Amino acid sequence: MSYDPRFDRYRSPNFKRTKQAGERTGWEKPAKPRSSGSFGRSPQQRAASWGRPVERLKRSKFRLWAVWAVLMLGGLGLAVNLFYLQVTRAPALRKQAEQQQTLKTKPFVPRRPIVDRAGNVLAIDREVYTLYAHPKLFNHSKAEIAATLAPMLALELSPGTTSETELIRRFNLGESGITIAESLPQEVADRIAGMQIKESLVDGLELLRQQQRFYPQQELAADILGYVDGERKGQAGVEYSQQNLLERSMPSIQFSRSSNGSWVPDRLTAGFVQLDDLKLQLTIDTRLQRAARSALKEKMKEHDAKRGTVIVMDARNGELLSVVAEPSYDPNQYFNFDLSRYKNWAVTDVYEPGSTFKAINVAIALEAGAVKPNSVFKDEGRIFMDGWTIQNSDYKQAGARGPSTVTEILKHSSNVGMVHVMRSMKASLYYQALEKLGLGQTAGTDLPFEVTSQLKSREQFINSPVEVATTAFGQGFSITPMQLVQLNGALANGGKLVTPHVVRGLFDRDGEAYWKLPRPVPKQVFSPETTKQVLEMMETVVDGGTGKAAQIPGYRIAGKTGTAQKANAGGGYSDKAIITSFVGIMPVEAPRYVVLAVIDEPKDGSGGTVAAPIVESVMESLISIEKIAPSKK
């Protein structure tokens, strides 16, 4: 009997049951096994299946090793990168973190004021305001706001436009952030602020406070002062050359980021907000500066000149009382002028001085012992040298003057006579004397961008007689107007070459000197006897020579005129363009002041008719300001 699970009982082998459709009886031939086991397989199949678990085991081990290798390599890479970040790049990363988390800055500190010799303010820092409009926030109509605001502002208007219509036009440019006016002074800002409160317009107008360098004298001393740009850096004049004196030193303040990301100061240095009261004082006299500029502008307009300069120097110590260059500019609005206006051509440009250098040449010849004041030379009026024609400027009118003393040659400004005077000494000694006077160098002034004077090479000068001849009457070499003043200063002070300068030093509110700019020791280039003789010769130029226009009744004045052809850029000289000049020294009995006027490209005239009257006008102002007593003749 066998067990049949379908009936849960034992069944006799003789028991039979009718087979239902699709049903398989238990005693029928079993079907082929479906499992993957060895039951029902052939011996060959069972033998082949024995190797498969081994292969799977090998593959599992390989996967484990691969994962382990990847993990180890990743860990090694992380360790290497950690070492690189923590050790190799640690200093750079630490510095970068400090830069991101800390901030060092200097608080705004106003520049020191600049004053003239009498304490008058020439440059000072002041608070100014920029006015912005936000029309979308206006509480009143644009017309109402324009009508209230217009009387307070000085706007640039086009023809036929009123301030109110101009303001309305600007209000219509946008909804917010419209610039209405810049550089508004404190008093105007106060009025606008008061108007905002009174008219309830505070949400429509905005005043932004700024610091600005202010020059109350405008263009008066621009050639000396220069200007300060938007980054608070001097770009010309003493604002540039004395930047280290004008900037107050102030410790930096360090800020660190707080937890909310805002900047918080770490600590404040004790007394860091205290400002010194020092001022940079100049040697300039504002009254004389105004008189010199006025006289220069008048003559330039009269003769339609291209440009001009006037320099006044105290020959005792090199103090410059006035330095004027035209055309000039207003340093308060430097951005409205051409770049050429910013340079002071009294120190940045060279020119051929012409006859104003003849007095220096006479001093050289006297010092060398080659001539005496009464030495006589033949003045032919015109001579020929190396194929070049040299003649006096008045040759067509005066012709040949014949025998003339050195004094007469200087008095009449004879070119031919000066050629004979300077050829009386060796060319090598002449060149050596010019080098001793500083030709080929600068005057050493404290005004910036000074250029060196130009002198031919020693070989060219000595081996070419025409070079000596042209140098004798002030051509063939170039100097700055400032250096010509310096050389004439040596004639006025007994032969010493002083350094022209405009800076006195730093002074406190009581006028006590805190620091003075050191000056080179004056260099003796002429003997007092030589300079005395030259001054007496120069006095005849003013008394009855080419410089009569510089005469001032009651005062002894020495001077020398100059009218030189301008050199062309490509060589040779212009047939039309000239440069006129006059240098004066006063008073002759006690010489102290040197005044030079140079006029570039006047349409007509000469040094005696264009430049000499300017010097005369400046000297009259100098007499009044310095209270110079009349000369005793």
Side-chain angles (χ1 to χ4, degrees):
M1 183 176 290
S2 62
Y3 178 78
D4 189 343
R6 291 176 296 176
F7 301 100
D8 194 25
R9 67 183 180 199
Y10 286 92
R11 186 178 65 235
S12 170
N14 296 323
F15 176 81
K16 289 185 180 181
R17 184 178 63 87
T18 303
K19 181 178 179 182
Q20 303 294 323
E23 180 182 358
R24 183 171 60 87
T25 59
W27 56 86
E28 292 177 341
K29 183 178 180 180
K32 185 177 180 179
R34 297 178 181 178
S35 67
S36 60
S38 61
F39 180 77
R41 301 189 211 176
S42 65
Q44 292 81 3
Q45 289 176 329
R46 289 195 297 269
S49 66
W50 292 347
R52 292 179 181 175
V54 176
E55 293 177 2
R56 286 196 294 269
L57 180 60
K58 289 182 179 180
R59 286 197 296 269
S60 299
K61 288 184 178 181
F62 175 76
R63 293 191 187 99
L64 291 174
W65 279 105
V67 172
W68 180 85
V70 170
L71 292 175
M72 291 300 294
L73 289 174
L76 181 61
L78 291 174
V80 171
N81 190 50
L82 185 63
F83 178 84
Y84 174 70
L85 295 175
Q86 294 290 335
V87 179
T88 306
R89 289 204 60 200
L93 293 175
R94 187 179 300 110
K95 183 177 180 181
Q96 184 177 349
E98 290 176 355
Q99 292 175 347
Q100 293 174 348
Q101 299 171 10
T102 61
L103 173 67
K104 285 186 177 181
T105 184
K106 288 188 176 182
F108 173 79
V109 181
R111 291 166 72 91
R112 292 189 175 101
I114 303 176
V115 299
D116 72 352
R117 64 191 298 115
N120 298 309
V121 176
L122 299 176
I124 193 170
D125 276 21
R126 67 169 183 174
E127 289 184 346
V128 295
Y129 294 81
T130 299
L131 177 63
Y132 294 95
H134 308 284
K136 66 179 182 180
L137 301 177
F138 284 170
N139 295 330
H140 289 64
S141 68
K142 295 178 180 178
E144 288 180 294
I145 297 176
T148 307
L149 192 61
M152 304 179 189
L153 304 177
L155 303 175
E156 293 185 4
L157 305 175
S158 57
T161 305
T162 65
S163 297
E164 293 184 26
T165 56
E166 175 62 20
L167 283 175
I168 294 175
R169 185 192 68 80
R170 296 187 186 186
F171 291 158
N172 292 328
L173 293 176
E175 294 186 351
S176 182
I178 303 171
T179 302
I180 302 300
E182 296 178 318
S183 302
L184 296 176
Q186 183 69 52
E187 55 271 19
V188 175
D190 291 342
R191 292 179 62 191
I192 295 175
M195 180 268 290
Q196 288 177 287
I197 297 173
K198 180 179 178 181
E199 302 293 338
S200 301
L201 303 174
V202 68
D203 292 332
L205 299 175
E206 178 186 8
L207 286 166
L208 181 63
R209 185 173 62 181
Q210 299 168 306
Q211 290 288 336
Q212 183 187 65
R213 195 66 162 170
F214 178 57
Y215 303 90
Q217 307 292 342
Q218 298 178 320
E219 69 169 17
L220 181 64
D223 318 301
I224 303 165
L225 300 175
Y227 67 94
V228 174
D229 64 11
E231 296 181 356
R232 308 288 300 165
K233 297 296 182 182
Q235 297 299 316
V238 296
E239 292 279 23
Y240 174 86
S241 64
Q242 308 304 320
Q243 175 85 7
N244 59 328
L245 296 181
L246 292 169
E247 282 189 334
R248 290 184 171 97
S249 60
M250 188 63 60
S252 298
I253 302 176
Q254 180 169 304
F255 294 84
S256 297
R257 286 193 182 276
S258 62
S259 58
N260 62 0
S262 59
W263 292 102
V264 179
D266 288 350
R267 59 188 178 88
L268 297 180
T269 305
F272 87 102
V273 295
Q274 296 179 2
L275 300 178
D276 61 64
D277 62 350
L278 299 179
K279 302 175 182 179
L280 183 68
Q281 188 175 60
L282 305 184
T283 61
I284 299 300
D285 190 299
T286 303
R287 297 167 296 175
L288 189 63
Q289 183 82 357
R290 184 173 289 105
R293 188 174 293 280
S294 176
L296 177 61
K297 291 175 72 172
E298 181 182 348
K299 280 297 177 182
M300 284 182 60
K301 182 178 180 181
E302 179 183 340
H303 296 276
D304 194 19
K306 178 181 178 181
R307 60 181 182 173
T309 184
V310 174
I311 304 173
V312 182
M313 186 183 78
D314 187 336
R316 298 178 308 171
N317 49 25
E319 288 188 353
L320 295 169
L321 306 183
S322 176
V323 180
V324 174
E326 279 290 337
S328 188
Y329 65 99
D330 182 356
N332 294 307
Q333 300 178 353
Y334 64 89
F335 40 80
N336 290 331
F337 296 87
D338 186 79
L339 292 175
S340 60
R341 298 283 189 96
Y342 302 152
K343 68 176 185 177
N344 184 347
W345 74 277
V347 295
T348 63
D349 290 7
V350 293
Y351 77 110
E352 295 189 2
S355 296
T356 49
F357 200 80
K358 289 176 179 175
I360 306 299
N361 278 328
V362 169
I364 291 174
L366 289 172
E367 190 72 14
V371 299
K372 293 182 179 180
N374 56 358
S375 297
V376 177
F377 295 90
K378 185 179 181 180
D379 182 1
E380 302 95 330
R382 181 170 63 182
I383 59 175
F384 301 94
M385 183 174 293
D386 289 350
W388 294 90
T389 301
I390 299 175
Q391 67 181 31
N392 298 334
S393 59
D394 61 351
Y395 175 70
K396 292 182 179 180
Q397 296 80 24
R401 287 194 171 87
S404 304
T405 64
V406 176
T407 300
E408 291 172 334
I409 290 172
L410 195 62
K411 177 180 179 179
H412 298 292
S413 196
S414 170
N415 293 338
V416 174
M418 283 303 305
V419 171
H420 293 315
V421 170
M422 299 316 298
R423 290 187 68 187
S424 64
M425 61 184 299
K426 290 184 178 180
S428 58
L429 294 179
Y430 185 16
Y431 191 85
Q432 183 178 345
L434 294 173
E435 287 186 315
K436 183 180 179 181
L437 292 178
L439 267 69
Q441 304 174 27
T442 66
T445 180
D446 48 13
L447 290 172
F449 314 122
E450 182 184 14
V451 297
T452 59
S453 52
Q454 299 173 2
L455 182 65
K456 300 290 177 60
S457 66
R458 182 183 181 86
E459 291 74 20
Q460 185 176 359
F461 187 87
I462 293 176
N463 297 327
S464 176
V466 74
E467 291 294 342
V468 175
T470 55
T471 304
F473 52 87
Q475 294 197 265
F477 67 98
S478 302
I479 62 175
T480 62
M482 187 64 70
Q483 193 166 23
L484 184 61
V485 169
Q486 181 188 41
L487 294 175
N488 279 273
L491 300 180
N493 63 21
K496 296 178 181 178
L497 210 60
V498 296
T499 303
H501 61 277
V502 296
V503 176
R504 272 188 170 176
L506 293 175
F507 289 77
D508 60 23
R509 67 177 63 184
D510 298 322
E512 296 295 327
Y514 175 82
W515 177 87
K516 287 188 175 183
L517 197 65
R519 302 293 172 194
V521 178
K523 179 182 178 182
Q524 192 78 36
V525 292
F526 299 124
S527 66
E529 181 61 27
T530 294
T531 59
K532 182 180 178 181
Q533 291 174 343
V534 174
L535 283 180
E536 290 175 350
M537 295 183 198
M538 293 175 68
E539 187 177 9
T540 66
V541 175
V542 177
D543 286 345
T546 57
K548 289 184 289 186
Q551 292 178 355
I552 299 178
Y555 291 87
R556 296 179 62 190
I557 299 172
K560 186 69 193 77
T561 57
T563 306
Q565 291 174 291
K566 288 193 68 174
N568 292 322
Y573 291 90
S574 171
D575 294 330
K576 298 180 179 180
I578 60 172
I579 187 163
T580 63
S581 56
F582 183 85
V583 60
I585 300 173
M586 72 169 298
V588 173
E589 70 278 8
R592 177 178 176 181
Y593 300 104
V594 179
V595 183
L596 171 68
V598 182
I599 310 299
D600 189 12
E601 293 190 22
K603 297 303 180 184
D604 54 12
S606 63
T609 59
V610 179
I614 298 175
V615 172
E616 184 270 339
S617 178
V618 173
M619 283 186 169
E620 284 188 342
S621 299
L622 190 60
I623 290 171
S624 175
I625 293 170
E626 297 295 327
K627 297 179 173 55
I628 302 174
S631 301
K632 296 180 181 179
K633 292 189 177 181

